[in-house]
Amino acid sequence: ADIIATPRSVCLCGPTGDHRPQMLSLTFAYACIASSGILALLILKLDFASLASFTVPARNQYQRYANVTDSDDVRGPYRQNGTTILRGEAVIELTGQLGNYLSAFSYYFVVKTIAMEEFNLNLTLHVRTQGHSQSVSATKNARCFTSFRDLDFDECKAYRSERGEECRGRVKYQRKVLNVLGADANSIRLAGGTSDDIRNALRRYADMLRNTTFMEKYEYAEAGWTNYTTRRPFLYTIGHTAASLDLIDEWYDHGIPEYFAFEDGNERCCRSFPYPDEHVFHYRAFRQDLPKKYRVWGGAELIPEKAANILMGHLPNGTSVALVGRTHNKRFRAYQEEFEQRSFRVRPVVDQSGVQDFCFLAHAEAGLWSTDRSTYSKWAAIFNRRLRNATLYVPNYPSKKENKQIGHVHKNKHLVNTIRHP
């Protein structure tokens, strides 16, 4: 497009002949600065400075809306059972492995539930993912949950790719536009915290969406996450944002287990299942995966003898126990031998993928036994309403008192009756 500089504005002349003033996108502005130096920088500054007081033309003057009717417009509110429902968007950044994904999605569940129940706000979820191998694996495994089966994980999947840079640019550009329009750039950032912290962010967000003048100016700045027919401010997170266990307790009965329903019929996700009367013991093998670090952060697991003793203290002789581990190595066999010496009937469950192990843990009914440092075991216990007992033991390593791990004391009635930390 040609650039026409006037004393009051910058006009972009596109192939359609549309000469209306419009805000420069960040990508375009950078191109101007690279080729025109200081002049373009001054023009960009002038445009942003004038945006807050700019009078937006009537919507039907916009060339890009020529083929959009009121019934096709998905930007504004809609009616449902006589109630006006606002539309909004949330962009959640996902980091790390599957356990971190589940924590971030649990946080989003609370956000979307408060949004609909208290603000009549229906959110559409977008995600930003990293590009390393752990992220690729976590994304693949997250699709084993029915709620995320059709989620577009590829929208912003590469951390340092062109697409990833573009997605970060959208967040940065919105923050700049919000500041220009007199709204704190962090006002609709989701940054964890309590239910009240989430409510405050949603209240500010709903006020923005209802403010016609603000929305016209925001749209005119060409900010937003998606295409022209859905340009609106979006809630967002930066970095890993997790749901605290207190939030889980508070919102558990609003449907958290159902939100994390699993693809039981998909063999890639679930290879086998525990029997209804079978207790499941999970050997996470931090010692094998993190040989230099596992003791430092409390990743030591009970030695086989102590693990067998803890089972003996709660289960009668002859109880069926499924021993779950990634590999059938010497350490794994030591657990199996100790359990069998206590007269337990042991079924080794090995050579499964990580997500298949999670599926197995999440379908335990009689009991689940594991270290509380295993995120798989923790989330499997929380998401499983059929589970009657989960014993997530706290290791006595490291021995220093100040580093001793303390298990979370749940407040939700079901979780209080199900999860224990000996």
Side-chain angles (χ1 to χ4, degrees):
D2 299 322
I3 304 176
I4 302 175
T6 70
R8 299 183 59 188
S9 65
V10 173
C11 298
L12 301 184
C13 302
T16 62
D18 178 12
H19 288 62
R20 65 179 180 82
Q22 65 181 24
M23 297 307 302
L24 300 176
S25 70
L26 286 182
T27 304
F28 186 76
Y30 293 155
C32 290
I33 292 170
S35 61
S36 305
I38 233 170
L39 174 61
L41 181 61
L42 292 175
I43 293 173
L44 178 64
K45 183 176 180 181
L46 179 63
D47 266 331
F48 270 110
S50 62
L51 174 60
S53 59
F54 182 77
T55 302
V56 181
R59 180 180 152 194
N60 60 12
Q61 295 181 23
Y62 290 178
Q63 179 69 28
R64 65 173 178 253
Y65 291 120
N67 298 320
V68 178
T69 66
D70 290 339
S71 60
D72 294 326
D73 184 9
V74 295
R75 297 177 309 152
Y78 62 97
R79 303 284 291 178
Q80 178 175 299
N81 297 328
T83 302
T84 300
I85 306 295
L86 292 172
R87 302 177 193 269
E89 294 175 285
V91 181
I92 305 299
E93 185 170 1
L94 301 175
T95 63
Q97 302 186 44
L98 181 61
N100 286 348
Y101 276 37
L102 297 180
S103 183
F105 283 134
S106 297
Y107 177 76
Y108 172 71
F109 173 85
V110 176
V111 171
K112 83 178 192 68
T113 302
I114 296 177
M116 180 56 80
E117 292 185 0
E118 301 183 20
F119 296 92
N120 293 328
L121 173 59
N122 186 10
L123 295 177
T124 297
L125 174 63
H126 305 272
V127 294
R128 299 166 57 198
T129 61
Q130 298 173 319
H132 51 64
S133 59
Q134 288 183 345
S135 175
V136 173
S137 174
T139 295
K140 182 179 179 181
N141 293 337
R143 289 194 170 100
C144 286
F145 295 85
T146 57
S147 293
F148 317 124
R149 179 176 51 202
D150 300 321
L151 183 63
D152 186 4
F153 286 94
D154 297 331
E155 184 177 7
C156 297
K157 67 177 181 178
Y159 189 66
R160 297 188 182 278
S161 72
E162 180 179 345
R163 181 176 292 180
E165 291 292 341
E166 177 187 350
C167 293
R168 281 193 294 279
R170 296 177 197 171
V171 175
K172 292 178 181 179
Y173 186 60
Q174 171 173 270
R175 290 172 61 83
K176 189 174 187 69
V177 169
L178 290 179
N179 279 332
V180 170
L181 295 179
D184 183 355
N186 290 315
S187 60
I188 55 175
R189 176 184 173 184
L190 299 169
T194 65
S195 294
D196 284 340
D197 294 327
I198 294 172
R199 286 188 183 97
N200 290 336
L202 287 172
R203 185 175 294 109
R204 292 188 290 266
Y205 185 52
D207 288 344
M208 286 183 185
L209 296 176
R210 293 189 181 100
N211 187 326
T212 303
T213 302
F214 179 92
M215 289 295 292
E216 292 285 5
K217 291 183 177 182
Y218 182 93
E219 178 185 276
Y220 202 69
E222 296 193 352
W225 188 257
T226 51
N227 59 36
Y228 287 136
T229 61
T230 55
R231 283 204 182 276
R232 53 176 163 250
F234 53 88
L235 299 161
Y236 65 97
T237 66
I238 296 178
H240 179 54
T241 304
S244 68
L245 290 176
D246 287 333
L247 273 182
I248 297 293
D249 285 337
E250 184 179 353
W251 293 94
Y252 184 83
D253 291 328
H254 290 251
I256 286 180
E258 292 72 25
Y259 186 64
F260 289 93
F262 216 67
E263 292 274 7
D264 295 353
N266 186 334
E267 188 173 348
R268 185 188 69 79
C269 303
C270 295
R271 180 178 172 184
S272 60
F273 300 92
Y275 302 123
D277 63 344
E278 191 173 42
H279 286 255
V280 177
F281 188 94
H282 181 215
Y283 172 50
R284 173 55 183 83
F286 285 123
R287 179 179 181 177
Q288 176 180 322
D289 293 348
L290 303 168
K292 296 182 179 180
K293 299 180 180 179
Y294 74 101
R295 286 182 181 270
V296 176
W297 59 275
E301 299 174 68
L302 292 179
I303 62 174
E305 180 181 1
K306 288 187 176 182
N309 287 338
I310 200 173
L311 291 181
M312 279 290 294
H314 295 83
L315 305 178
N317 291 344
T319 299
S320 297
V321 176
L323 179 58
V324 180
R326 195 64 57 84
T327 57
H328 198 266
N329 57 18
K330 181 179 179 180
R331 185 76 171 179
F332 183 92
R333 290 193 295 272
Y335 281 95
Q336 182 177 348
E337 291 170 2
E338 286 288 344
F339 291 175
E340 289 174 340
Q341 288 177 12
R342 303 304 202 280
S343 300
F344 295 123
R345 291 182 295 163
V346 181
R347 175 166 69 112
V349 180
V350 294
D351 298 328
Q352 297 193 132
S353 68
V355 72
Q356 289 171 339
D357 278 353
F358 180 89
C359 173
F360 196 95
L361 300 177
H363 285 81
E365 296 184 34
L368 174 63
W369 306 75
S370 177
T371 169
D372 77 338
R373 300 298 280 173
S374 166
T375 56
Y376 273 23
S377 295
K378 180 185 74 172
W379 290 117
I382 289 174
F383 297 155
N384 186 0
R385 287 192 186 272
R386 295 167 298 183
L387 182 62
R388 297 193 292 274
N389 170 68
T391 300
L392 306 180
Y393 62 80
V394 180
N396 57 353
Y397 298 100
S399 58
K400 294 181 180 180
K401 185 176 181 180
E402 61 269 23
N403 289 333
K404 186 176 180 180
Q405 301 296 321
I406 300 174
H408 175 77
V409 179
H410 287 281
K411 302 177 183 66
N412 175 270
K413 183 178 180 180
H414 171 77
L415 297 178
V416 166
N417 293 331
T418 303
I419 300 177
R420 298 171 179 81
H421 296 272

